[in-house]
Amino acid sequence: MHSLKHRFPLFLLFTLLSFISCSASKTEQKAYGPDTDYFIGLTYLEEGRIEEAARKFEACSKKGSYYCARKSAEELCKIGDLQQKNRAVLNLIENYKDSQTLLIAARQLWNSREINKLIEISENLDFSKEKDETIRLRLLAMQTRCDSRLKDEVYTWFTACPLSEQHFTFYRDNWPHPDFSDEEAVFTPQEFAINYRIELYRRNYNWTFNNSPIILEYFENKELPLSEQLASDIGKSYLYGSPQFLKNAQYFKAFANSYKGTKLEYYFWFYAGRFYDKAGNYYSSAKNCFAQAMNCANTESQKDDAIWYLLEISRNYNIESLISSIQEYSRLWNKASNFDSFFERLITPLLLSGKRESFYELYSKLDGYASDEVIGQYAYIYGRLCQEGYAQGDDAAVKAAFNRALKSGSNIYYKLLAAYELKLSPEEISSLIATFGIYQAKEINPAAEILLKGYADFGFPQYIYENWNLLSREGISSKTAFYLAEFLQKCASSDIAYYPQSLRIASRAGFNSQEKLTKEELMLIYPKDYSDLIEAECNKYNMKDSIMYALVRSESFFDAEIVSSAGATGLTQLMQLTAQDIAKRLKITDYSLTDPAINLEFGTWYLNNLYERLDNSYLHAFYSYNAGINSLRKWLKGSIIDFGAKQKMPNDIFLETIPYAETREYGRKLVSATVMYEYLYNDNFAEILQQIIK
């Protein structure tokens, strides 16, 4: 068995970090000023010099910049005896009043059994926004003290927000509840409502459907306050627990009228619309219900949800009516990107039903209302349909469409294909690729940057990714983010866990950059991690290495140990049954899919095998890798017939006809990544696009 992780002994990492730390002690300490104490304190902690570390943290907590001082204060909460830790957490929450510090304090006070202090510091929490673990610890403390407010606060927590694992754990392990299936059981409306929400969390829809009338009766008799969460739960219970859609629609329409003027009205109109839609042949009734929901929505998000369904139910009617509805409601929605999924789902039906002229009407009339991603996508498809003779448009219209696709937001796939069609010069292509994402202006937070850069400069890669995740929304420049990504990539030579961390930081930095990206920065976004293994396997199977780099980047983000919810494992995300078949063919008996060498060998063999079986088409091999070769062949045959192609469809148009959005997006990601690798490392743009997509 091979394992790249163990090929690089830990002493190499320590050598690298020792060099960095030594360098920082001489050249960086002056630049970091009082913040140096925090990083030296971390060094002392690793060396077991606890008292010296505590002195450094104490000094930085008083004089350091915001985040280094805060981190120092947090470290002090872990040092010393129980009394010292308790004093430290109280000092922490006195100076930093936010959810994270409150959680740290709650954990410490609970562990030290400072029950009264825990209750005191957690008074007046907003249960709809506060961290669930903090609330759970507060309630446990109240339960221990037999606090008279406990039942009301438990009810508030269970009905103020969506349930989490923290709710479920508290209910299961710490909250007494009667047997609600026992007709003789005695319980309060609050107890019943809490159990109702737990059963829905467990997806026990049959039980919640049958007991929803009890919750409604509690509302009517004012035994429970009106609750948006419970109203939403009632809708879900009927939706998933009863097939009587028409009857349910009529019920919910009546409920909506009963609760007119309250926040619950929205939910009842919304679900009435869902039921009419599922009942079939009740388009007008469904449309009226969603329109009512839109008009009484409590939030912008709810309004957009209602509009989304208004458009979705219109898809089954004539295209002229649908386009009219889109134009009408696009002026009313709040966030254009909320409708990207609707427009993505609309593409395949438009293509296969022969409504191809609609792409021009939609992209031209919705420009400024739909997202740039949608407009660019529809513009490119329209241009290609014209070129292939499936839509009407002269050369000027086609060129205008491709030029609009060049501005398709963050969707690099359509930008690259449009650049190819427009025959842009190498300089123009370089400029296009360098403007990789969408810059969102945000003021830079110097204190946050000091903390993150300090972890790199003083040699603490293990702290970077977690803290970058916490602070990236606070205002981290793309320059600093790329600096961190480059540092982590170097550290990955001794610990491969840093490969995906580096890539995630670099990718987000690319999308948020306010400046054109350099080639070196793009190479961090499209790295050649595991280059020795990947290139060896590609040489063995005569495959372009850019194909495999693209596959690994798209499948796993170079995370060798990742396992998907479906069980796909490792760098190339192989399923166990597929791996067993490959192992037999390669005559390998002992293997682990989390071993990079094995995983890459299996994945390269498998993709090459699909490529050879599919007439040397990389794009078709990509689809088959994702969804299976039989699915690919069925889609290809069906699309040719439905689309009306004589023999073969252009690959880029075929991609848009695939019935599953996941597989369509998978194809786009693989094509884009392959082109980027070829462009960055081989200066090959047009040739690879011609080979893959044309």
Side-chain angles (χ1 to χ4, degrees), residues 417-464:
L417 268 62
Y420 173 87
E421 295 296 343
L422 290 167
K423 297 180 173 57
L424 296 189
S425 68
E427 293 75 21
E428 290 172 316
I429 291 170
S430 295
S431 178
L432 176 73
I433 290 174
T435 53
F436 182 82
I438 305 174
Y439 173 60
Q440 298 175 340
K442 182 172 285 188
E443 187 176 348
I444 302 303
N445 188 324
E449 293 210 323
I450 287 171
L451 177 72
L452 294 172
K453 288 188 70 175
Y455 286 136
D457 290 340
F458 286 85
F460 293 101
Q462 67 271 34
Y463 296 116
I464 290 176

Side-chain angles (χ1 to χ4, degrees), residues 33-284:
D35 292 326
T36 303
D37 286 327
Y38 168 62
F39 300 108
I40 293 177
L42 291 178
T43 302
Y44 287 162
L45 271 187
E46 289 191 346
E47 295 172 354
R49 299 157 65 180
I50 306 301
E51 291 184 4
E52 293 170 272
R55 285 196 290 272
K56 290 295 183 182
F57 292 140
E58 185 72 33
C60 186
S61 70
K62 294 176 179 177
K63 297 183 178 180
S65 62
Y66 179 83
Y67 286 104
C68 288
R70 175 177 175 146
K71 284 292 180 181
S72 295
E74 290 178 7
E75 289 296 334
L76 288 169
C77 298
K78 309 172 189 175
I79 295 175
D81 59 27
L82 200 57
Q83 289 183 335
Q84 289 172 315
K85 291 177 181 178
N86 287 345
R87 283 197 299 270
V89 298
L90 294 177
N91 179 68
L92 179 70
I93 61 173
E94 183 179 343
N95 290 292
Y96 305 98
K97 302 182 187 301
D98 57 39
S99 294
Q100 186 59 34
T101 55
L102 185 59
L103 176 58
I104 292 170
R107 286 170 175 168
Q108 173 59 32
L109 294 172
W110 174 253
N111 290 334
S112 63
R113 310 306 291 173
E114 290 284 347
I115 301 302
N116 291 336
K117 201 66 183 177
L118 170 52
I119 295 172
E120 179 186 329
I121 68 164
S122 59
E123 293 287 1
N124 303 315
L125 298 182
D126 184 343
F127 284 8
S128 66
K129 298 178 181 178
E130 194 55 67
K131 292 182 181 294
D132 284 332
E133 185 182 352
T134 302
I135 299 170
R136 182 177 66 85
L137 291 172
R138 170 179 170 79
L139 296 178
L140 289 174
M142 294 176 73
Q143 191 175 51
T144 302
R145 197 176 71 174
C146 299
D147 194 301
S148 61
R149 301 169 295 171
L150 177 63
K151 287 186 177 181
D152 287 340
E153 292 206 10
V154 170
Y155 178 77
T156 299
W157 183 40
F158 271 79
T159 55
C161 55
L163 294 195
S164 69
E165 187 63 27
Q166 293 284 342
H167 288 88
F168 181 74
T169 300
F170 178 84
Y171 183 82
R172 182 193 63 200
D173 299 339
N174 305 105
W175 192 243
H177 42 276
D179 180 2
F180 292 95
S181 62
D182 183 358
E183 294 183 0
E184 303 298 322
V186 178
F187 48 81
T188 67
Q190 287 185 337
E191 289 172 334
F192 187 84
I194 289 170
N195 182 73
Y196 179 88
R197 297 218 70 209
I198 285 290
E199 292 302 327
L200 191 71
Y201 181 79
R202 290 170 166 161
R203 299 185 180 181
N204 186 359
Y205 299 123
N206 185 56
W207 190 92
T208 56
F209 164 69
N210 287 323
N211 286 279
S212 290
I214 297 176
I215 298 293
L216 289 164
E217 186 178 347
Y218 287 148
F219 286 164
E220 185 176 345
N221 296 334
K222 301 188 182 332
E223 295 176 88
L224 286 178
L226 301 182
S227 163
E228 291 185 71
Q229 286 292 334
L230 284 170
S232 178
D233 288 350
I234 291 168
K236 291 176 186 174
S237 297
Y238 275 79
L239 188 63
Y240 300 119
S242 167
Q244 296 179 300
F245 299 125
L246 181 58
K247 182 179 180 181
N248 294 340
Q250 293 165 345
Y251 278 155
F252 273 69
K253 189 175 178 180
F255 296 155
N257 287 314
S258 297
Y259 290 91
K260 193 172 185 61
T262 72
K263 289 188 174 182
L264 272 59
E265 181 185 0
Y266 166 82
Y267 297 94
F268 294 130
W269 280 123
F270 180 81
Y271 279 103
R274 297 286 304 274
F275 294 130
Y276 274 125
D277 180 39
K278 282 187 170 293
N281 298 320
Y282 289 92
Y283 171 73
S284 296

